[in-house]
Amino acid sequence: MQKTSSRLLALLSLLQARPEWSGDDLAERLEVTVRTVRRDIDRLRALGYPVATDKGPGGGYRLRPGSQMPPLLFDDEQVIALAVALQSTAHPAIAEDADRALATIRNVLPPRLRQRMDALHVTTVRPPDPGAPPARALDLLTTVSTAIQRREVLRLDYTPHQEAPPQRRCVEPHHLVARRTHWYLLAWDLDRDDWRTFRTDRMTLRTPTGPRFTVRELPGGDVSTFVTSRFRGSDGTEAAWPCQGEAILDLPASEVLPHTADGIVEPLGPTRCRVITGSWSWAALAAGLGRFDANLHVIGPPALHEACAALARRYAAATATEPGRLDEPNR
């Protein structure tokens, strides 16, 4: 039988690997009795791990979300993946937090994993951020995202530019949008009775949040149409590519944003984002979206769907050609 400490770590690893386990399954995997599993579950709870018990014939144990972040267990490959992802974080809003997290992980790694992590060192060139300190920005983004999900009015002080005094505003938050090196809040301004975009690094939130609101219909029908119209050239004309399209990528917004300088990136959760961007041709736009090593879901317009289909056929034909057997051109 394993020592109690080793067995607890093994039990925790199992609970993290699957949504639910029966007591019999855990006992079999750990090579102990069901009674020992129950005692070990109680020990984990005493250490702060929120292990829930579902009673009955089909019941079991599951690790549920708690009010605090408990210690986690990762296998070797997960640790290396985390290290690479943290080094690749380019957005100024979370760069400092990513560096601190990376240092925390490295300090507790065994030598074999530390060597692998150092061998995969990635140097990320981050654009300068003239706005708020990154730690504050991350807290602000989290608070704004929560208010959007809960549909709660935000009270804030907003500084339109460096020389202007702060203005008190009450807004109904609609979407959080990343564009180039900045995050923007798209919201209904209750004081102006109109839609507005606010740079988050110029916002200071006031607490508490306001009452819940009913979501309004956005002009143009979607976020991309509205936000794109807010960023115009100095002559008032739309500063846009001749071909513009929209797609969803199965990647975090923070990974896509640094490579979408002329587009808009909207987070759709921790692992997906909406991208609105353009190019000089539909084929170039399709190829540009395809450069991300992730699943791609084209939203539109139809011309972009057609360009992606044509590009897929072209690539399929290219891989079907036997190397060294290209037809000679007619002379």
Side-chain angles (χ1 to χ4, degrees):
M1 182 183 295
Q2 294 175 299
K3 292 183 179 179
T4 301
S5 56
S6 300
R7 197 174 61 245
L8 286 179
L9 290 175
L11 174 58
L12 180 58
S13 180
L14 291 173
L15 290 171
Q16 291 178 174
R18 210 165 78 182
E20 189 166 359
W21 290 85
S22 70
D24 291 336
D25 288 343
L26 288 173
E28 182 180 351
R29 291 292 293 269
L30 296 171
E31 298 180 352
V32 295
T33 65
V34 174
R35 183 179 179 183
T36 300
V37 169
R38 286 198 295 266
R39 286 201 301 264
D40 287 347
I41 291 291
D42 290 337
R43 291 187 179 102
L44 287 179
R45 288 172 178 154
L47 292 172
Y49 293 96
V51 183
T53 304
D54 296 326
K55 299 186 181 298
Y61 300 101
R62 54 188 171 84
L63 195 61
R64 60 177 176 80
S67 59
Q68 294 182 339
M69 183 71 175
L72 301 175
L73 287 179
F74 297 99
D75 60 35
D76 291 3
E77 301 309 318
Q78 288 176 318
V79 169
I80 298 303
L82 279 173
V84 173
L86 289 169
Q87 291 182 72
S88 304
T89 300
H91 198 280
I94 57 174
E96 183 177 321
D97 296 282
D99 289 340
R100 291 192 299 109
L102 185 63
T104 300
I105 292 174
R106 190 182 186 281
N107 287 339
V108 298
L109 289 182
R112 58 184 177 80
L113 282 181
R114 188 176 301 173
Q115 291 174 2
R116 288 185 63 187
M117 177 176 163
D118 292 343
L120 286 169
H121 179 73
V122 178
T123 300
T124 303
V125 179
R126 296 181 175 123
D129 178 25
R136 171 191 173 275
L138 184 58
D139 291 340
L140 186 144
L141 292 176
T142 303
T143 303
V144 170
S145 296
T146 301
I148 291 172
Q149 294 174 2
R150 295 178 178 175
R151 300 179 181 177
E152 294 177 344
V153 169
L154 281 176
R155 301 182 176 96
L156 55 95
D157 293 326
Y158 188 69
T159 306
H161 52 84
Q162 208 166 25
E163 294 78 16
Q167 304 171 357
R168 289 202 165 187
R169 312 289 276 271
C170 282
V171 303
E172 296 174 354
H174 193 282
H175 277 273
L176 195 59
V177 178
R179 184 177 187 270
R180 299 188 178 178
T181 60
H182 295 292
W183 292 91
Y184 295 86
L185 170 64
L186 172 57
W188 176 264
D189 192 328
L190 294 171
D191 301 308
R192 305 298 191 271
D193 199 30
D194 194 9
W195 291 96
R196 292 287 191 272
T197 54
F198 301 90
R199 260 181 54 175
T200 59
D201 60 310
R202 295 175 177 173
M203 292 167 40
T204 301
L205 298 181
R206 290 187 282 128
T207 55
T209 55
R212 293 175 65 94
F213 61 89
T214 302
V215 176
R216 302 171 186 265
E217 184 177 353
L218 192 66
D222 59 18
V223 178
S224 62
T225 302
F226 182 83
V227 175
T228 301
S229 68
R230 290 293 166 126
F231 295 96
R232 298 179 178 270
S234 58
D235 59 354
T237 60
E238 183 68 28
W241 290 96
C243 302
Q244 287 192 338
E246 184 176 353
I248 292 176
L249 285 168
D250 289 347
L251 280 176
S254 59
E255 293 185 22
V256 177
L257 179 60
H259 309 289
T260 316
D262 293 322
I264 296 168
V265 181
E266 177 193 354
L268 298 179
T271 60
R272 303 183 85 204
C273 66
R274 187 192 310 273
V275 180
I276 304 103
T277 187
S279 187
W280 58 273
S281 74
W282 293 112
L285 179 55
L289 290 170
R291 76 184 187 274
F292 295 99
D293 188 16
N295 291 333
L296 173 67
H297 314 275
V298 176
I299 297 176
L304 181 56
H305 281 273
E306 295 169 5
C308 288
L311 200 60
R313 290 192 297 269
R314 194 172 303 152
Y315 285 153
T319 57
T321 304
E322 185 178 345
R325 295 293 300 276
L326 295 176
D327 294 335
E328 292 291 336
N330 294 328
R331 297 185 182 275

